Amino acid sequence: MRRMAAGAGERQRRGDARLRRAALLAAVGELLAERGPGFSLAEAAELAGISTATAYRNFSDTASAVDAFFGELTGELMEAFDRLPAGADPIADIQAVCREWVARASRWGAAAVHIRSPRGVLARRGDPFVGGLYQRLDRLVEAAIRDGAAPAQDVRFAVLMWLTIFDERVVVDLTGTLGWTVEDAAEHLTGAFLRVLGV
Amino acid sequence: MRRMAAGAGERQRRGDARLRRAALLAAVGELLAERGPGFSLAEAAELAGISTATAYRNFSDTASAVDAFFGELTGELMEAFDRLPAGADPIADIQAVCREWVARASRWGAAAVHIRSPRGVLARRGDPFVGGLYQRLDRLVEAAIRDGAAPAQDVRFAVLMWLTIFDERVVVDLTGTLGWTVEDAAEHLTGAFLRVLGV
């Protein structure tokens, strides 16, 4: 009820603060893509067109701004996956997730590769990004096997193959280095994964 | 002729220097695997059981020792590949390279992942490691297609799929996190790649 009681001025202030934070995170993403995590919060603030003081009111340092950037990106990705229509065809569901991923990874891949851990993905199933992806893919592969659309197999291995075939760097290689369209990249990578799955 | 003319004392000195350098590089590999590139040359020297002064006679800093470690590892890998018997069966040749890679990557994977670039592999075809791997795989896939053992396809994409499926982190995930044997990991990964290839 407190929110609804806020006056127009208060609502405006909150909206402005949100916009500044969003601009700052967008700048963090741009700097990450360009040169990796070696930038200052002041540089991100300048690129976002906000004051350094405002940047520091949002984040204590570059690392926490990068964490927030990656956190938002993870949240948006999981929401997008959960919005995809789950149909009667488990293979079509897998294809939809693959397409959504490639479209997003081609946009933020260059930034995300800098914050990818050198640890293997199975060793990081506890983190929200890998864990969220892992869980959804595990469910999709299980459904495909249950449905008889894919042969019985080690689901952990199949999910690991998805996570490696769809590595952001691969997406960036195809859409950036080779100049493929997002559609072409998604089609090739999805085809490769479905062949691995034995579909 | 100069080498043959060297006396026993001189040969001994050279042999000792080579051993100390090898011990230092082994220590560099261990430290990389344990904590990534954030160690000093003095720490590597201590682990190798040699003096800091000797370490600095070999390398000016940690970065150049890491470069040398990775350089030797690349050289050994390429030599091992080139020693593999190339037979009449292009698929068996691919399988042999896959096995050799998994056996090596399971040993030094934990160190190598720390020096993997965040750039895509196609963007780095100029560096000796990626370039050497790329060239050999390109040749193997071309041979399989020429032979009719694999269907005609985009060879760049097929090689990119090899490079991503056999990512050291994947090998470390399977042999480390999941505790698979090198043979099991090699068999599964080779199978996945051959299915991608359409064999």
Side-chain angles (χ1 to χ4, degrees), chain B residues 94 98 141 158 161-162 165-166 189-198:
Chain B
I94 291 175
C98 293
V141 172
M161 285 297 97
W162 191 95
I165 286 174
F166 285 88
L189 294 173
T190 306
F193 176 66
L194 291 178
R195 288 198 294 283
V196 167
L197 213 54

Side-chain angles (χ1 to χ4, degrees), chain A residues 110-133:
Chain A
V113 292
H114 289 288
I115 39 182
R116 270 275 193 150
S117 162
R119 292 168 61 207
V121 288
L122 291 185
R124 291 182 293 131
R125 269 182 290 179
D127 91 38
F129 182 71
V130 173
L133 268 175

Side-chain angles (χ1 to χ4, degrees), chain A:
Chain A
M1 294 306 277
R2 213 138 108 243
R3 246 176 226 178
M4 288 184 65
E10 173 62 15
R11 274 200 305 273
Q12 173 77 42
R13 250 191 314 280
R14 277 190 203 140
D16 288 355
R18 256 198 304 271
L19 282 179
R20 281 191 295 266
R21 187 175 184 278
L24 184 58
L25 288 183
V28 163
E30 261 184 68
L31 289 170
L32 267 179
E34 262 170 43
R35 26 181 178 130
F39 58 87
S40 70
L41 204 49
E43 287 173 283
E46 198 190 333
L47 185 60
I50 65 173
S51 74
T52 304
T54 301
Y56 277 100
R57 259 199 301 282
N58 279 280
F59 303 107
S60 56
D61 52 21
T62 303
S64 61
V66 166
D67 282 350
F69 168 78
F70 203 41
E72 298 232 331
L73 180 152
T74 301
E76 284 165 18
L77 176 71
M78 299 307 154
E79 279 170 36
F81 279 171
D82 295 338
R83 269 197 311 271
L84 291 174
D89 178 358
I91 302 302
D93 291 349
I94 291 176
Q95 288 167 325
V97 161
C98 293
R99 264 196 310 273
E100 182 70 37
W101 169 265
V102 172
R104 284 171 180 268
S106 68
R107 284 203 306 273
W108 44 255
V113 292
H114 289 288
I115 39 182
R116 270 275 193 150
S117 162
R119 292 168 61 207
V121 288
L122 291 185
R124 291 182 293 131
R125 269 182 290 179
D127 91 38
F129 182 71
V130 173
L133 268 175
Y134 191 93
Q135 208 178 59
R136 279 159 184 82
L137 290 161
D138 181 81
R139 214 154 49 205
L140 289 167
V141 172
E142 291 278 10
I145 294 171
R146 206 170 41 238
D147 206 63
Q153 59 196 287
D154 187 326
V155 176
R156 289 172 312 181
F157 182 76
V159 174
L160 179 60
M161 286 297 98
W162 191 94
L163 292 169
T164 190
I165 287 173
F166 286 88
D167 188 310
E168 297 92 329
R169 289 175 302 187
V170 174
V171 175
V172 170
D173 252 341
L174 294 175
T175 58
T177 315
L178 295 187
W180 288 15
T181 63
V182 166
E183 289 69 33
D184 267 355
E187 196 191 311
H188 271 78
L189 294 173
T190 306
F193 176 66
L194 291 179
R195 288 197 295 283
V196 167
L197 212 55
V199 170

Side-chain angles (χ1 to χ4, degrees), chain B residues 17-181:
Chain B
R18 255 198 305 271
L19 283 179
R20 280 191 295 268
R21 188 175 184 278
L24 184 59
L25 288 183
V28 164
E30 262 184 67
L31 289 169
L32 267 178
E34 262 170 43
R35 25 181 178 131
F39 58 87
S40 71
L41 204 49
E43 287 173 284
E46 199 191 333
L47 186 60
I50 65 172
S51 74
T52 304
T54 301
Y56 276 99
R57 260 198 301 281
N58 279 280
F59 303 107
S60 57
D61 53 19
T62 304
S64 60
V66 167
D67 281 350
F69 168 78
F70 204 40
E72 297 232 332
L73 182 151
T74 301
E76 284 165 18
L77 177 72
M78 299 309 155
E79 278 170 36
F81 279 172
D82 294 339
R83 270 197 311 272
L84 291 174
D89 178 357
I91 301 303
D93 291 350
I94 291 175
Q95 288 167 325
V97 161
C98 293
R99 264 196 310 273
E100 182 70 37
W101 168 265
V102 172
R104 285 172 179 268
S106 68
R107 285 203 305 273
W108 43 255
V113 293
H114 287 289
I115 38 183
R116 271 276 193 148
S117 163
R119 293 166 61 207
V121 288
L122 292 185
R124 290 182 295 133
R125 268 182 292 180
D127 90 38
F129 181 72
V130 174
L133 268 176
Y134 191 93
Q135 207 178 59
R136 280 158 184 83
L137 289 160
D138 181 81
R139 212 153 50 202
L140 289 167
V141 172
E142 290 277 12
I145 294 171
R146 204 169 43 237
D147 206 63
Q153 59 196 286
D154 186 326
V155 176
R156 288 174 312 182
F157 182 76
V159 174
L160 179 61
M161 285 297 97
W162 191 95
L163 292 169
T164 189
I165 286 174
F166 285 88
D167 188 310
E168 297 94 329
R169 289 175 302 187
V170 174
V171 175
V172 170
D173 252 341
L174 294 175
T175 59
T177 315
L178 295 187
W180 288 16
T181 64

